[in-house]
């Protein structure tokens, strides 16, 4: 082995050394064979990095995503030294397997200064679903016309498919798949190729298939592979499974892990696909009829649960947009929905018991004042703005949300009583909300939508990904909640 330069190794932290060793081991076993020459090289690598056997054991607690994240911040000379090492690992046995080349190419793209800004690696654990390594799927969090314009063009689509096929990959682009599927044959043979068990097969397969979008298929992907949607920052992207294996969790238990590469194609899709396939310089031709086709069939024919967007209509009602527009029912609906949107706006830090209690004390004094004076909504809101304390901002936020969630008129005397009820009965509203989400039959990962109470910080919070929430403000097409007038008017 050509030794790593001492100055390069000396600049690495113990964690960076373990990350480099973990990737080297993954590359060595990517072809599912370990050669004697690879073992010798890994021994040399361990010695050059100065890792003890105890430290070597620690690499099994790292996912590929962890390793990429750890090494991404290295200066370019150190990264080049690492990539040179990884290249030698796959070349040491002479025969470079396609799986080794794809894994190495993905690591190069994620760590390179240029492509690293639009390439990421993510790892999921605990998913039992099967997944194909020969299919690269196009998915969206939001509709992306720039990428669809290329993919929907006959000539460009043909070029992209040929480029990917030449390196052994099959593009799974839903609109094209929909055009080529023999739906009649699929319906007739469904019980043979995908037993439905206790799931319901759609009575109108053509209509059901037409209603599935790359965005709803992404939600199905997240549900199937136990992925938080917030883990991917891109609007439109290609996803390819790199490898699967086992890693140790915090308690030393073995758990299944799957690693994926994610390529942002919300712009320059042809250039970015070309960059990827150019690194895969050992073309193979191979077709597969598994993997994401099965994901599509499962999502299409079943009433299986999905990670769903939540649509808030102009009356403040909550609907699961990707689960048949199922309405979420909450006891004390307007108050419960107000409490939920309030916590969603405050994010993961939530709202503390102390702030709630201080707000109630403030409202008690305000009620006492207005018992002797005429209720003046505009004056009260100005007082809240002028004082601009945490409790005052909280009260102002609740008022503005509840005004839209309910039929109560803020200018009417007694409006403060409703606001006090929401703040006072927050624990009960938390239970109402959680019961509503948990009773949604098709909603996956229900707990991620639920309201939580942190015993240590004594605070209420909602950790659901805010990108899943859409609101109809009644004056046009629905928008993401973070782009809404209501969201921008709230102060946290």
């Amino acid at each position: 082995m050509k030794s790593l330069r001492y100055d390069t190794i000396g600049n690495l932290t113990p964690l960076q050394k373990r990350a480099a060793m973990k990737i080297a081991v993954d590359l060595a076993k990517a072809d599912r064979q370990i050669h004697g020459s690879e073992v010798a090289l890994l021994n040399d690598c361990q010695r050059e990095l100065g890792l003890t056997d105890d430290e070597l054991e620690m690499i099994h607690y790292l996912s590929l995503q962890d390793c990429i994240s750890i090494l991404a911040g290295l200066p370019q000379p150190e990264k080049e030294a690492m990539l040179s090492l990884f290249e030698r690992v796959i070349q040491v046995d002479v025969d470079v397997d396609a799986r080794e080349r794809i894994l190495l190419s993905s690591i190069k793209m994620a760590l390179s200064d240029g492509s690293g800004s639009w390439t990421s690696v993510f790892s999921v654990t605990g998913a039992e679903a099967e997944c194909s390594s020969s299919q690269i799927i196009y998915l969206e969090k939001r509709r992306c016309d720039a990428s669809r314009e290329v993919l929907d063009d006959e000539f460009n689509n043909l070029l992209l498919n040929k480029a990917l096929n030449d390196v052994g990959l099959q593009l799974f682009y839903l609109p094209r798949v929909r055009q080529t599927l023999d739906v009649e044959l699929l319906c007739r043979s469904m019980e043979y190729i995908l037993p439905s068990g206790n799931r319901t097969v759609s009575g109108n397969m053509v209509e059901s298939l037409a209603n599935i979008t790359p965005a709803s298929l992404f939600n199905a992907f997240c549900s199937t592979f136990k992925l938080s949607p917030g883990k991917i920052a891109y609007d439109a992207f290609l996803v390819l499974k790199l490898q699967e294996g086992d890693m140790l969790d915090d308690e030393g238990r073995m758990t299944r892990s799957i690693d994926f590469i994610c390529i942002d194609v919300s712009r320059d899709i042809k250039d970015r696909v070309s960059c990827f396939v150019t690194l895969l310089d050992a073309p193979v031709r191979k077709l597969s009829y598994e993997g994401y086709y099965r994901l599509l069939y499962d999502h299409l024919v079943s009433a299986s649960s999905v990670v769903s967007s939540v649509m808030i209509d102009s009356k403040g009602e909550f609907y699961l947009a990707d689960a048949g527009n199922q309405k979420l029912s909450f006891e004390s609906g307007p108050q419960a929905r107000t409490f939920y949107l309030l916590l969603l706006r405050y994010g993961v830090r939530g709202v503390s018991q102390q702030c709630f209690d201080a707000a109630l004390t403030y409202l008690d004094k305000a009620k006492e004042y207005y018992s002797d004076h005429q209720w003046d909504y505009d004056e009260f809101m100005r007082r809240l703005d002028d004082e601009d304390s945490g409790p005052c901002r909280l009260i102002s936020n609740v008022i503005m949300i509840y005004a839209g969630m309910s039929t109560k008129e803020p200018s009417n005397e007694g409006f403060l009583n409703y606001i006090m009820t929401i703040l006072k009965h927050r624990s009960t509203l938390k239970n109402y909300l959680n019961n509503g989400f948990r009773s949604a039959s098709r909603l996956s990962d229900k707990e991620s939508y639920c309201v939580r109470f942190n015993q240590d910080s004594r605070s209420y919070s909602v950790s659901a990904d805010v990108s899943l929430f859409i609101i109809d403000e009644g004056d046009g097409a629905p928008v993401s909640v973070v782009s809404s007038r209501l969201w921008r008017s709230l102060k946290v």
Side-chain angles (χ1 to χ4, degrees), residues 131-147:
C131 181
S132 173
S133 294
S134 63
Q135 292 172 15
I136 186 165
I137 186 170
Y138 172 84
L139 296 169
E140 293 175 342
K141 289 183 81 169
R142 301 170 188 82
R143 181 182 175 90
C144 182
D145 291 330
S147 55

Side-chain angles (χ1 to χ4, degrees), residues 353-368:
Q353 289 271 46
Q354 183 180 9
C355 189
F356 278 120
D357 292 338
L360 281 168
T361 299
Y362 186 98
L363 287 173
D364 279 331
K365 294 178 180 178
K367 273 193 66 179
E368 184 178 344

Side-chain angles (χ1 to χ4, degrees), residues 104-120:
L104 178 60
S105 299
S106 301
I107 292 167
K108 283 182 176 180
M109 287 184 62
L111 289 180
S112 295
D113 285 348
S115 56
S117 64
W118 44 264
T119 306
S120 59

Side-chain angles (χ1 to χ4, degrees), residues 335-343 356 426 429 433 460:
Q335 294 94 330
R337 295 192 298 272
T338 296
F339 186 55
Y340 193 87
L341 275 178
L342 176 77
L343 295 180
F356 278 120
R426 53 192 180 269
L429 294 177
L433 286 161
Y460 291 85

